[in-house]
Amino acid sequence: MKIEIWSDIVCPFCYIGKRKLERALSKFPHQNSIEIEWKSFQLNPDEKTNPSISTIENLAKNKGWSMTQANEAVSYVKNMAAQEGLVFNYDKTVVANTKNGHRLIHLAQQQEKGDQMKERLLQAYFTDGLNIDDANTLAALGKEVGLDEKAILEMLSSDQLFEDVEKDIYESRLIGVSGVPFFVFDRKFGISGAQPDEVFDQTLEKAWTEYSKENNPIIMNSADSGDCCDIEGNC
């Protein structure tokens, strides 16, 4: 069963939501039968990468907030993250466009390393304070999860996978995604945002029940058949 996740690398609730889903899956008896596919989404596709300005200043500017309001919002998110065992270092985060990061995730998914790449990019942004739009940084991060550095640099210097990112974003509009994270279970059930744990548990169980009905045919042992009537009316 597939779970598709629309998410942005600089979205704090996407990192928190990832942990909530992982916790639900860790308790799920069929976790080895679940496929995760990361879908691209950009909260600010026109964001200019700018290491010279702090993320909190940028947040205040984009939202029209005072620095006090921005710091309060950041403190709230940091506390939520801490409850999931995550460390958010907003004093170190680099303002960056995420399109190249999403291209890298697509490249990683081609080699079944999408989840590892997504995790490493989230950590790079929120915890390590790395520039996730810098080609050499992205190549090094990709190497950490087992990708080829040269292939990453070649991809980033070309137009490769731009179309894949745009396709994800277009698809998000078609299904009504207005915010992230957005989790889609087997194209039947959705979770919008980093919901309470029980929502993930219940949705996972519900989706699996429906998936099992449609994808697990009844297996018959003809050698042990009992009394019956056949389709020609013989009993």
Side-chain angles (χ1 to χ4, degrees), residues 19-62:
R19 284 292 182 272
K20 287 178 173 290
L21 176 63
E22 288 168 348
R23 186 159 51 250
L25 287 171
S26 71
K27 300 177 288 184
F28 189 59
H30 309 287
Q31 58 181 282
N32 293 331
S33 298
I34 302 297
E35 176 189 353
I36 301 294
E37 181 177 350
W38 291 97
K39 297 282 194 175
S40 305
F41 191 95
Q42 287 194 283
L43 293 169
N44 187 357
D46 299 320
E47 184 75 84
K48 303 295 183 184
T49 299
N50 186 0
S52 66
I53 183 175
S54 79
T55 299
I56 299 176
E57 289 175 331
N58 192 55
L59 177 65
K61 178 183 176 182
N62 289 340

Side-chain angles (χ1 to χ4, degrees), residues 188-201:
K188 292 182 177 66
F189 304 94
I191 296 177
S192 179
Q195 297 278 351
D197 286 8
E198 57 268 23
V199 175
F200 283 89
D201 294 337

